[in-house]
């Protein structure tokens, strides 16, 4: 999976064609049939739950035969793995971009929280599937995803460390603070919906303010 | 379901006999067989996932026949409903107790966050099932649980309002702040495990500090 393909599956831009089900999944650099299958898998998992979904459901939703599905993905789990791995890689990219940009730790943390929050609001359907079905991943894919999650949290922790060293943050326990920052953003995928009164961007701004307070930001 | 029964199913005290699977489920005021079935249901849902679990799995885990299970619960969904309703009722009780105790809004919010956080850490197995399988509930039970969840968040929001009115909190958007406070606590059930380095109580204290900062507490 290239970074480009990951970015295509989880675009920053909402594709907008079918907000409820497709938010966060889009696909560019794949054969058209594979893209249709990924979108159909997200729709089906969101509607029926992962476990109750069959490969036949997904093929039907994509307007294809089960045999045609197997050309691209050997199993339902392979579809989940691709959705999960590309989603986590794109999330790590977004967090690293914010953490390693120019600016002081306060500005970078604000951007990190804004981007991480609005990303989970925009991609809440995919985010919910991915976060709740981690244990359904084949072992090898689970290990890849677990490593990506570890790196996301480590990036947040290092930025807090940097801010503490610079005197910009005042945090009694960096590890717990980093956990709270990522937890707040991830949980947005659980509760956010198109009926929520704030836009993803507005929620990101509000969470940015709350998190900087939590970190005792003086910047 | 009486309050006593709810408290028995979701005790503040960890039963301790089987930490991974039973945390948060205990049962006093029920027939022994019903209690065994509830514990077996939590074990089975946690191990296999709700959708892949059969009533036969649950009966077997409880050392009973499927026919004996049906005497107490007509379906797998009825077991989930009882677990979910009693858990949410006990959570609301805990939140209301903290919010309506003596003391200023800062002290009450600290206690609320400490209790709510350690509760979700201690009962993470049950909490995860309950939070992820809301859509598996029969419609009527879903409505009951949704109302309990609404009241939990409303209780938090009113306590923030009270603190703002008293000059103890400084919060730009009370609704978003209340959402963030409940979200942080609920998400603990997703990530906490017996391997976590902090005890539920220690995590509660740390989250109490972080939340009071988030609310601009001056108390």
């Amino acid at each position: 999976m290239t970074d480009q393909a990951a970015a295509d599956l989880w675009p920053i831009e909402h594709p907008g064609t079918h907000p409820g089900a497709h938010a966060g999944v889009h696909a560019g650099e794949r054969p058209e049939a594979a893209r249709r299958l990924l979108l159909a898998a997200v729709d089906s998992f969101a509607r029926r739950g992962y476990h109750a979904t069959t490969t036949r459901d997904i093929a039907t939703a994509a307007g294809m035969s089960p045999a045609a599905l197997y050309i691209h993905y050997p199993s339902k789990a392979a579809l989940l793995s691709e959705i999960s791995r590309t989603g986590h890689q794109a999330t790590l990219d977004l967090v690293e971009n914010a953490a390693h940009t120019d600016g002081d730790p306060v500005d970078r943390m604000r951007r990190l929280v804004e981007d991480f929050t609005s990303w989970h609001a925009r991609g809440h359907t995919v985010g919910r599937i991915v976060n709740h079905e981690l244990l359904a991943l084949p072992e090898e894919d689970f290990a890849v995803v677990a490593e990506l999650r570890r790196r996301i949290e480590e990036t947040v922790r290092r930025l807090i460390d940097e801010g503490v060293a610079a005197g910009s943050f005042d945090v009694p326990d960096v590890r717990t603070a980093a956990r709270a920052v990522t937890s707040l953003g991830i949980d947005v995928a659980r509760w956010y919906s198109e009926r929520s009164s704030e836009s993803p961007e507005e929620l990101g701004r509000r969470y940015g303010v709350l998190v900087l307070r939590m970190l005792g930001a003086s910047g």
Side-chain angles (χ1 to χ4, degrees), chain A residues 18 21-22 36-63 69 76 79 83 125 129:
Chain A
H18 189 158
H22 287 162
R36 269 183 16 231
L37 286 167
L38 288 170
L39 295 174
V42 169
D43 267 351
S44 305
F45 296 159
R47 190 167 304 145
R48 294 182 177 81
Y50 175 76
H51 295 282
T53 299
T54 63
T55 48
R56 179 174 291 276
D57 293 332
I58 298 168
T60 303
L69 180 150
K76 177 173 78 162
L79 280 153
I83 293 165
T125 303
I129 295 166

Side-chain angles (χ1 to χ4, degrees), chain A residues 50-193:
Chain A
Y50 175 76
H51 295 282
T53 299
T54 63
T55 48
R56 179 174 291 276
D57 293 332
I58 298 168
T60 303
M64 293 163 59
S65 69
L69 180 150
Y70 291 122
I71 293 172
H72 301 281
Y73 296 101
S75 65
K76 177 173 78 162
L79 280 153
L80 179 66
S81 289
E82 175 138 339
I83 293 165
S84 190
R85 291 170 57 188
T86 53
H88 280 91
Q89 182 62 58
T91 308
L92 175 60
D93 292 348
L94 166 158
V95 165
E96 286 185 335
N97 280 341
H100 302 148
T101 193
D102 289 341
D104 66 25
V106 172
D107 289 336
R108 283 183 278 151
M109 182 58 79
R110 184 185 295 112
R111 179 173 152 200
L112 189 156
V113 172
E114 287 178 354
D115 290 356
F116 192 66
T117 302
S118 59
W119 171 256
H120 281 89
R122 219 177 282 114
H124 65 87
T125 303
V126 176
R128 219 173 287 166
I129 295 166
V130 158
N131 283 313
H132 294 180
E133 299 300 348
L134 285 176
L135 297 180
L137 290 174
E139 203 169 332
E140 200 177 307
D141 296 309
F142 178 82
V144 171
V145 166
E147 171 62 13
L148 291 168
R149 291 176 83 95
R150 200 191 56 69
R151 285 169 62 193
I152 289 168
E153 190 143 331
E154 187 180 271
T155 304
V156 173
R157 199 164 56 235
R158 286 192 179 166
L159 182 52
I160 298 177
D161 275 333
E162 206 184 319
V164 169
S168 311
F169 296 149
D170 170 26
V171 176
D173 179 75
V174 172
R175 215 180 48 77
T176 301
R179 177 50 64 90
V181 171
T182 52
S183 173
L184 262 181
I186 289 169
D187 197 49
V188 166
R190 180 185 58 78
W191 65 261
Y192 192 86
S193 82

Side-chain angles (χ1 to χ4, degrees), chain A residues 14-28:
Chain A
H14 191 296
T17 48
H18 189 158
H22 287 162
V25 170
H26 196 213

